[in-house]
Structures are given as structure tokens and as C-alpha cells.
Amino acid sequence: MPSRKPLLLVASVFILFVALIAGNGCARKGETTRWTMINVTPAQIQADCHLIEFPDGTRALIDVAEAADAPGVLLAYLQAHKIKRIDLVVLSHFHRDHYGKLLDIINSGIKVDRVALNLPASREIADAEKPWGCNWEEVQSVLRFLADRRIPYFTPRNGERLIEITRSGVTTALDVVCLYDGIATPVGRTDINDTSMIIRLTHGPTRVLFTGDLNQRLGAWLASSDFDLKADILKVPHHGTEGAAPNEFFAKVGPKIAMVPSPKELWFSLRSKRIRDYFSEHQIPVYVTGIHGSVTVEMSDGGYVIKAEHPDAAP
């Protein structure tokens, strides 16, 4: 197993640095947007869920799942924080570890106003990943559930703005950078991971890029494309494991901070070595849910500050 010391050294030095100066000393100034990478991976299995709270009270979830070996953690988090309404849910792609708790939170009484999703182009693409990842009948059952409850769902377009809020002269926006359906793509037919919506959150000077489970093939193409992928903070694709977008993609994004929804043991496994090494070699601080717990980024017109549930945690 690779040594953990380089990562821990980077984390210990840079976490304090970021918290103190990321916002140039004024990250709490004015209107704020809060993004929490919720710890839905406290045990051994991966999952994604991100809560964004906008300055006017609008809330969005990007992905809505919890690890199969940690049942109830997502709903417990939302209830503990008195979340009763979500204005927009974005399902980056149809893998259970990204959409699997949508029905549960709606059945719990949390109101969901609308859902943005990207459907796989065909049953064949979906069912190629049965039983572990995707299942065409399950996808259709999610759509029927939403229709029965009259919750609007839609597939956005490349470049579509999902949310825009301007307060005190500061604009906060949630934009779709790009999405592909697994067939009509610039790299030919892909798997479900490469149907992930690439989403950008902007608040004042701060940019965050959400990448779902973006994989090697489409990630390599995006790295050489004309898409504007620059971001201060990157939600690392594919839970930080091999198969994720290549290092050239990370270089094009150029993040100052990396956020990884991953259990601790997975992050320190051989499956994550390339990604660990990249961020360590580039001295980019990494926050991992299975190590740091839930991690919140608070953005303002002065920059951002990061607060981790376990800021000094070590495996």
C-alpha cells in the first residue's frame, strides 16, 4: 500500500492555509452561498450527495444517494439540518450511488420542486451495467414516480443555466457545462459514467466544477476541447478512483482544492493511487468525506472558506 505521509503532510499544511486566506481575509463578506459535500460514505462503499444553499434560501442537491453500508445517513443529515424543501435536484447520471435515495427523501415528506436528469439513450446502454450500476426498468420507475407525484423532470441542454440569483450585486449561478447521452457523443458510444452532467457553480469570483463520474474517454476529450472548465474547486470524478478522467483533465480545470466523496479505505487503495499522486505532486489540498466527514465551502464576494467536520482527522 502506498505511503500516506505525503498526503497527510499536504493536508495538514494546506487545510489551515486555505481556511485562513482563501477569501483574502474577507470570505464572510456580503451574501454567501454554502456547498456541503455531505458525508454519505462513512463506512466502505462510495456514494455522492451535495447540498447547495443559495443566498436567497434556494436549495439544490447535486446527486442524492448514500452508501449501501450506511443506510439512513442522508435523510438523517437533511432532517438534522431542518431541510424541508429542495428547489432543484440534479441527478448527474443514473447510477444508484448517485440517484438511489431520491424516492426516499420525497417519501419522507421533503418537498422537491423539480429534477434535472440525463437519461441513458437506450435500454441496451443501461442494462449493460446490471445489476451493479444501472437498470432500465429502475430508471423508468423513477420517472413514473416523479410523474405520479407531479414533480417536473427535464433534461437540460449544454450551456443551460439552471439557477441564477443576484443579490447585493453578486450573481450566483448553476450552469450545465455539458452532457451526453451515451450514443451521440464526441467519442462514440460510452458507458453510463460518461453520461455524467458536468455542472459549474459560480458565486462572485469562486468557481466549483461538479463532474459526476466522468471517465477516461470523455474526460480526455474534454481536456482538449474548447469548453471552459476552469474552477477553483473540483469535485473529483468517480470517487477519486482509477477510471476517472485523466490527469490532463485535472490540469485543464486547474483547481486549488479537490473534494472527494469517498470512504477512507477506498481513497487509500491502489484504485485511487493515480489521483492521490496527482494532487499530492501538485500540492493541491484534498478533502475526503470518509476522512474529514461532511465538508462545507462558504463562498462570498471575497472568496471562500472551507470547514470540515473533522478538520484534523487522520486515518
Side-chain angles (χ1 to χ4, degrees):
M1 179 177 290
S3 171
R4 301 177 182 180
K5 291 182 180 179
L7 175 67
L8 296 178
L9 178 60
V10 169
S12 60
V13 171
F14 280 88
I15 286 173
L16 179 60
F17 174 83
V18 170
L20 290 176
I21 70 169
N24 297 321
C26 55
R28 297 180 185 278
K29 179 180 173 183
E31 302 285 352
T32 62
T33 293
R34 291 167 55 90
W35 158 38
T36 301
M37 179 174 68
I38 301 173
N39 182 18
V40 292
T41 63
Q44 300 294 321
I45 300 177
Q46 65 197 37
D48 255 75
C49 188
H50 307 272
L51 174 65
I52 303 172
E53 300 171 280
F54 293 86
D56 67 345
T58 296
R59 292 190 179 99
L61 284 174
I62 296 182
D63 291 328
V64 55
E66 64 191 15
D69 57 356
V73 295
L74 174 55
L75 185 56
Y77 180 93
L78 297 175
Q79 291 175 335
H81 289 79
K82 298 179 171 54
I83 306 296
K84 297 181 179 179
R85 179 174 184 167
I86 303 294
D87 298 86
L88 173 68
V89 171
V90 178
L91 303 181
S92 67
H93 63 295
F94 268 98
H95 273 158
R96 292 190 192 99
D97 60 343
H98 290 257
Y99 78 85
K101 290 299 167 181
L102 175 62
L103 277 57
D104 286 356
I105 69 164
I106 294 171
N107 283 332
S108 77
I110 295 175
K111 179 175 172 50
V112 170
D113 285 355
R114 58 188 182 128
V115 178
L117 48 82
N118 190 26
L119 292 171
S122 70
R123 176 190 288 269
E124 184 181 7
I125 289 177
D127 286 351
E129 301 185 3
K130 288 173 65 174
W132 54 270
C134 191
N135 179 315
W136 182 259
E137 288 304 326
E138 287 188 11
V139 170
Q140 300 308 308
S141 72
V142 169
L143 302 184
R144 287 193 296 270
F145 177 94
L146 295 174
D148 289 346
R149 285 153 183 79
R150 298 183 179 179
I151 299 173
Y153 62 86
F154 64 100
T155 298
R157 303 178 304 277
N158 283 3
E160 183 170 343
R161 178 153 290 184
L162 300 175
I163 294 175
E164 180 178 335
I165 295 161
T166 301
R167 290 168 64 95
S168 303
V170 178
T171 296
T172 306
L174 193 66
D175 296 303
V176 177
V177 177
C178 64
L179 75 166
Y180 297 97
D181 66 4
I183 291 180
T185 86
V187 296
R189 178 170 168 161
T190 69
D191 63 6
I192 296 296
N193 282 329
D194 273 343
T195 65
S196 294
M197 275 192 244
I198 311 302
I199 303 288
R200 181 173 56 243
L201 171 66
T202 306
H203 180 104
T206 302
R207 282 178 151 204
V208 177
L209 195 69
F210 295 90
T211 55
D213 279 353
L214 180 67
N215 255 349
Q216 285 273 351
R217 289 180 63 215
L218 189 57
W221 182 85
L222 287 171
S224 61
S225 74
D226 293 332
F227 281 110
D228 179 6
L229 301 173
K230 286 292 184 185
D232 302 283
I233 307 173
L234 172 66
K235 198 292 293 186
V236 176
H238 210 186
H239 313 275
T241 62
E242 192 50 80
N247 292 351
E248 291 79 7
F249 177 84
F250 300 148
K252 180 161 185 170
V253 176
K256 302 180 181 73
I257 302 291
M259 307 276 274
V260 187
S262 172
K264 178 176 70 175
E265 293 304 318
L266 180 59
W267 176 243
F268 284 116
S269 72
L270 288 175
R271 288 181 61 199
S272 300
K273 182 179 186 303
R274 171 177 66 88
I275 290 83
R276 282 199 319 272
D277 288 350
Y278 179 88
F279 292 119
S280 177
E281 289 165 7
H282 289 79
Q283 297 188 332
I284 297 170
V286 179
Y287 290 85
V288 180
T289 50
I291 299 170
H292 300 103
S294 295
V295 182
T296 296
V297 181
E298 185 172 314
M299 294 163 259
S300 77
D301 59 351
Y304 59 87
V305 292
I306 298 176
K307 298 178 182 178
E309 187 177 4
H310 309 300
D312 301 317

